[in-house]
Amino acid sequence: MFKSVFSFEGRIRRTEYGLTRIFAFLVILLIAALAESDGAEAFGLLMLLPIYIMITQGAKRCHDLGNSGWWMLIPFYGLIMLFGSGDYGPNEYGDNPKGEGNDDPYYGTDFQQKASVLPVATNQYPAGEDNGNTVGRDL
Protein backbone atom coordinates (compact mmCIF):
# COMPACT_ATOMS: atom_id res chain seq x y z
CA MET A 1 0.00 0.00 0.00
CA PHE A 2 1.17 3.53 -0.77
CA LYS A 3 3.80 2.46 -3.28
CA SER A 4 5.00 5.19 -5.65
CA VAL A 5 2.52 7.88 -4.63
CA PHE A 6 4.19 10.36 -7.01
CA SER A 7 3.69 8.19 -10.12
CA PHE A 8 0.72 8.19 -12.48
CA GLU A 9 1.38 4.56 -13.54
CA GLY A 10 -0.54 1.52 -12.33
CA ARG A 11 -3.70 0.85 -10.37
CA ILE A 12 -4.73 1.22 -6.71
CA ARG A 13 -7.56 -0.13 -4.58
CA ARG A 14 -10.45 1.82 -3.07
CA THR A 15 -8.90 1.59 0.41
CA GLU A 16 -5.65 3.24 -0.65
CA TYR A 17 -7.53 5.93 -2.55
CA GLY A 18 -9.81 6.70 0.43
CA LEU A 19 -6.94 6.81 2.91
CA THR A 20 -4.97 9.09 0.61
CA ARG A 21 -7.92 11.48 0.37
CA ILE A 22 -8.31 11.60 4.16
CA PHE A 23 -4.58 12.06 4.78
CA ALA A 24 -4.26 14.80 2.12
CA PHE A 25 -7.32 16.61 3.50
CA LEU A 26 -5.84 16.59 7.02
CA VAL A 27 -2.47 17.85 5.73
CA ILE A 28 -4.18 20.64 3.80
CA LEU A 29 -6.13 21.65 6.96
CA LEU A 30 -2.91 21.68 8.97
CA ILE A 31 -1.10 23.81 6.38
CA ALA A 32 -4.06 26.22 6.19
CA ALA A 33 -4.15 26.55 9.98
CA LEU A 34 -0.41 27.25 10.11
CA ALA A 35 -0.67 29.80 7.30
CA GLU A 36 -3.57 31.60 8.96
CA SER A 37 -2.02 31.77 12.40
CA ASP A 38 1.47 32.66 11.19
CA GLY A 39 0.44 34.92 8.34
CA ALA A 40 3.10 33.43 6.08
CA GLU A 41 1.99 33.08 2.48
CA ALA A 42 4.81 30.62 1.77
CA PHE A 43 2.71 27.90 3.39
CA GLY A 44 0.49 28.05 0.33
CA LEU A 45 3.28 26.45 -1.69
CA LEU A 46 3.27 23.51 0.71
CA MET A 47 -0.31 22.77 -0.35
CA LEU A 48 0.95 21.78 -3.79
CA LEU A 49 2.40 18.53 -2.45
CA PRO A 50 -0.83 16.98 -1.06
CA ILE A 51 -2.76 18.25 -4.07
CA TYR A 52 -0.28 16.58 -6.43
CA ILE A 53 -0.52 13.33 -4.47
CA MET A 54 -4.33 13.44 -4.65
CA ILE A 55 -4.15 13.91 -8.42
CA THR A 56 -1.72 11.01 -8.94
CA GLN A 57 -3.72 8.66 -6.72
CA GLY A 58 -6.94 9.73 -8.46
CA ALA A 59 -5.44 8.88 -11.85
CA LYS A 60 -4.40 5.44 -10.60
CA ARG A 61 -7.89 4.84 -9.20
CA CYS A 62 -9.35 5.75 -12.60
CA HIS A 63 -6.96 3.23 -14.12
CA ASP A 64 -8.32 0.56 -11.78
CA LEU A 65 -11.78 1.28 -13.16
CA GLY A 66 -10.43 0.89 -16.71
CA ASN A 67 -10.53 4.59 -17.60
CA SER A 68 -8.03 7.32 -18.32
CA GLY A 69 -6.97 9.55 -15.44
CA TRP A 70 -8.76 12.48 -17.07
CA TRP A 71 -12.08 10.92 -16.05
CA MET A 72 -11.58 12.28 -12.52
CA LEU A 73 -12.49 15.72 -13.92
CA ILE A 74 -16.08 14.55 -14.51
CA PRO A 75 -18.39 15.92 -11.80
CA PHE A 76 -19.35 13.33 -9.17
CA TYR A 77 -17.03 10.71 -10.69
CA GLY A 78 -15.15 10.86 -7.39
CA LEU A 79 -18.02 8.93 -5.82
CA ILE A 80 -17.59 6.17 -8.38
CA MET A 81 -13.86 6.17 -7.72
CA LEU A 82 -14.48 5.88 -3.99
CA PHE A 83 -17.24 3.25 -4.04
CA GLY A 84 -16.98 1.54 -7.45
CA SER A 85 -15.37 -1.86 -7.83
CA GLY A 86 -12.26 -2.08 -10.03
CA ASP A 87 -11.87 -4.18 -13.16
CA TYR A 88 -11.51 -7.92 -12.62
CA GLY A 89 -8.11 -9.14 -13.74
CA PRO A 90 -5.52 -7.04 -15.51
CA ASN A 91 -6.46 -4.23 -17.85
CA GLU A 92 -4.41 -1.94 -20.09
CA TYR A 93 -3.06 -0.09 -17.04
CA GLY A 94 -1.68 -3.11 -15.17
CA ASP A 95 -2.55 -6.06 -12.99
CA ASN A 96 -5.43 -6.05 -10.54
CA PRO A 97 -4.11 -4.66 -7.22
CA LYS A 98 -6.22 -7.20 -5.31
CA GLY A 99 -4.64 -10.03 -7.32
CA GLU A 100 -8.03 -11.31 -8.48
CA GLY A 101 -7.97 -12.72 -11.99
CA ASN A 102 -4.31 -11.97 -12.68
CA ASP A 103 -3.57 -15.69 -13.17
CA ASP A 104 -6.85 -16.49 -14.93
CA PRO A 105 -6.07 -17.67 -18.49
CA TYR A 106 -8.93 -15.60 -19.88
CA TYR A 107 -7.95 -12.43 -18.01
CA GLY A 108 -4.23 -13.01 -17.47
CA THR A 109 -1.41 -11.01 -18.95
CA ASP A 110 -1.01 -13.37 -21.93
CA PHE A 111 -4.71 -13.19 -22.86
CA GLN A 112 -4.04 -11.07 -25.95
CA GLN A 113 -1.55 -13.61 -27.26
CA LYS A 114 -3.96 -16.51 -26.72
CA ALA A 115 -6.88 -14.64 -28.25
CA SER A 116 -4.98 -13.88 -31.44
CA VAL A 117 -4.34 -17.58 -32.23
CA LEU A 118 -7.79 -18.99 -31.46
CA PRO A 119 -9.39 -20.72 -34.48
CA VAL A 120 -12.44 -19.06 -35.90
CA ALA A 121 -15.19 -21.26 -37.37
CA THR A 122 -17.21 -19.90 -40.28
CA ASN A 123 -19.81 -21.38 -42.59
CA GLN A 124 -18.33 -19.83 -45.69
CA TYR A 125 -16.50 -22.32 -47.90
CA PRO A 126 -15.75 -22.03 -51.59
CA ALA A 127 -18.15 -23.89 -53.87
CA GLY A 128 -17.50 -27.64 -53.99
CA GLU A 129 -15.31 -27.69 -50.88
CA ASP A 130 -16.56 -29.66 -47.92
CA ASN A 131 -15.14 -29.74 -44.42
CA GLY A 132 -17.07 -32.84 -43.39
CA ASN A 133 -19.52 -30.93 -41.22
CA THR A 134 -23.08 -32.05 -41.94
CA VAL A 135 -24.85 -29.92 -39.37
CA GLY A 136 -27.68 -27.90 -40.89
CA ARG A 137 -27.58 -29.60 -44.33
CA ASP A 138 -29.90 -32.03 -46.03
CA LEU A 139 -28.44 -35.50 -46.20
Side-chain angles (χ1 to χ4, degrees):
M1 196 182 240
F2 297 111
K3 297 176 187 168
S4 63
V5 294
F6 298 106
S7 170
F8 285 93
E9 303 294 321
R11 298 167 59 177
I12 60 170
R13 299 171 65 170
R14 288 178 282 193
T15 306
E16 184 173 347
Y17 176 71
L19 290 174
T20 301
R21 298 288 294 197
I22 292 170
F23 178 72
F25 180 71
L26 293 175
V27 169
I28 288 173
L29 282 179
L30 178 68
I31 292 171
L34 288 174
E36 187 173 313
S37 67
D38 215 9
E41 296 169 357
F43 283 112
L45 290 175
L46 288 177
M47 285 203 189
L48 293 177
L49 182 65
I51 290 171
Y52 179 78
I53 290 173
M54 284 187 351
I55 291 170
T56 59
Q57 296 291 75
K60 288 191 270 189
R61 183 67 189 130
C62 287
H63 292 170
D64 190 41
L65 296 168
N67 300 317
S68 168
W70 292 104
W71 279 58
M72 73 177 130
L73 298 177
I74 297 173
F76 301 108
Y77 190 70
L79 294 173
I80 295 171
M81 291 177 9
L82 194 57
F83 298 112
S85 179
D87 284 351
Y88 180 80
N91 63 15
E92 63 183 293
Y93 300 103
D95 286 342
N96 188 340
K98 289 183 179 180
E100 296 174 347
N102 290 338
D103 296 331
D104 192 341
Y106 292 106
Y107 291 100
T109 54
D110 58 347
F111 173 70
Q112 294 297 331
Q113 296 167 352
K114 288 181 182 178
S116 64
V117 296
L118 292 174
V120 178
T122 64
N123 291 329
Q124 301 174 1
Y125 294 100
E129 190 172 319
D130 189 7
N131 70 341
N133 187 0
T134 59
V135 177
R137 288 206 245 151
D138 294 338
L139 294 176

